[in-house]
């Protein structure tokens, strides 16, 4: 049985969404955020203290985009992972990693220096610079998504999960009004996917079962 450790609205939403897209059975363990501070025992499960952690038998993985890729290949073949024989194979890998390395990382600087640090250590200039940096990166998506419904390969893939989560996080951070129209439309389309909605429901039910808030508020205001 696959086991996924998840916090509401965190990057572990990527593997949760991927599991639902693939229709795989899994056990979801929803933790309060940040698990490193709230549940010290979690460091025994993942010494980094971060989510996701996914176990598949003896295998432990802690990188959200890599987990999506792994699940699609291991439990595929699946249309969610373009193969090396496809013209968009390289672009698939590019966008899969772009979603985390280029679109999510700058948002963690915003979160840290605008919200997580104690007031005397906050850096409004750093937060504002990386907010702009993130929005600047969306300019590469704007023309692409004005001409095609998904990131690559002419269909929905794990790259859309990776980029889609980064856009969701930006929405939680209040940046959606600055999205280019084609990017807003893309995010709206992703949210209509039944597997996305099932993942949201699994997240909500898992949080409620643990007595944890099912809104992104704790992620956005972590100590
Ligand atoms: N690159 C990793 C980052 C994982 C990560 O930093 N997750 C955040 C939640 S979005 C976390 O667990 N933060 C808690 C902490 O740093 O203590 C991934 O894509 O999964």
């Amino acid at each position: 049985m696959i086991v996924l450790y998840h916090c509401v609205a965190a990057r572990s939403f990527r593997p949760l969404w991927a599991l639902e897209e693939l229709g795989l059975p899994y056990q979801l363990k929803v933790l309060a955020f940040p698990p490193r501070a709230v549940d010290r025992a979690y460091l025994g499960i993942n010494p980094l203290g971060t989510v996701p952690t996914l176990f598949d038998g003896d295998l432990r993985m802690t990188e959200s985009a890599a987990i999506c890729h792994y699940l699609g290949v291991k439990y595929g073949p699946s249309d969610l992972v373009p193969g090396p024989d496809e013209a968009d194979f390289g672009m698939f890998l590019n966008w899969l990693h772009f979603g985390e390395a280029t679109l999510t990382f700058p948002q963690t600087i915003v979160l840290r220096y605008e919200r997580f640090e104690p007031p005397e250590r906050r850096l409004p200039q750093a937060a504002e610079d990386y907010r702009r940096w993130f929005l600047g990166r969306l300019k590469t998506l704007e023309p692409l998504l004005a001409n095609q419904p998904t990131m690559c390969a002419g269909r929905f893939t794990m790259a859309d999960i990776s980029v889609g989560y980064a856009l969701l996080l930006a929405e939680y951070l209040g940046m959606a009004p600055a999205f280019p129209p084609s990017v807003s439309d893309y995010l709206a389309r992703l949210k209509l996917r039944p597997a996305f909605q099932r993942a949201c429901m699994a997240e909500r039910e898992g949080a409620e079962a643990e007595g944890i808030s099912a809104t992104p508020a704790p992620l956005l205001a972590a100590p």
Side-chain angles (χ1 to χ4, degrees):
M1 173 65 88
I2 293 169
V3 181
L4 174 64
Y5 288 83
H6 171 59
C7 292
V8 173
R11 277 130 146 154
S12 40
F13 189 76
R14 286 190 181 115
L16 176 57
W17 185 0
L19 286 162
E20 288 293 345
E21 291 283 353
L22 288 162
L24 293 172
Y26 64 92
Q27 188 184 355
L28 184 65
K29 293 183 184 280
V30 180
L31 308 168
F33 191 85
R36 141 182 71 80
V38 181
D39 180 1
R40 300 295 292 175
Y42 183 63
L43 294 174
I45 290 164
N46 174 1
L48 297 172
T50 54
V51 285
T53 303
L54 178 132
F55 287 94
D56 189 7
D58 290 339
L59 173 69
R60 177 178 63 192
M61 296 182 75
T62 58
E63 283 294 329
S64 59
I67 293 170
C68 294
H69 194 179
Y70 166 81
L71 291 172
V73 174
K74 174 88 177 173
Y75 296 99
S78 162
D79 275 355
L80 295 165
V81 178
D85 50 335
E86 291 188 61
D88 264 2
F89 175 60
M91 286 320 297
F92 163 70
L93 292 176
N94 195 68
W95 294 128
L96 180 72
H97 293 281
F98 181 90
E100 173 59 16
T102 295
L103 287 186
T104 307
F105 177 71
Q107 299 190 63
T108 64
I109 309 263
V110 176
L111 278 165
R112 176 165 184 180
Y113 289 108
E114 192 175 79
R115 297 161 193 247
F116 292 2
E117 289 287 347
E120 68 280 8
R121 284 192 40 98
R122 288 192 186 163
L123 297 172
Q125 183 69 59
E128 178 55 22
D129 286 353
Y130 277 87
R131 194 178 280 272
R132 283 164 174 272
W133 198 88
F134 165 80
L135 290 169
R137 292 307 178 275
L138 293 188
K139 289 193 184 121
T140 48
L141 300 190
E142 181 183 12
L144 184 113
L145 291 169
N147 289 308
Q148 58 192 56
T150 58
M151 292 307 299
C152 59
R155 62 183 188 269
F156 178 88
T157 68
M158 295 296 187
D160 296 296
I161 291 182
S162 181
V163 171
Y165 170 74
L167 297 175
L168 274 179
L169 181 59
E171 185 175 58
Y172 300 146
L173 281 168
M175 290 194 258
F179 287 179
S182 67
V183 173
S184 298
D185 293 350
Y186 168 68
L187 181 58
R189 283 196 300 280
L190 293 181
K191 287 181 180 176
L192 292 176
R193 293 186 67 81
F196 175 91
Q197 293 172 5
R198 286 196 301 275
C200 291
M201 194 183 300
E203 175 180 81
R204 198 161 45 246
E205 288 174 358
E208 281 166 5
E210 295 297 327
I212 292 168
S213 168
T215 74
L219 174 87
L220 301 178

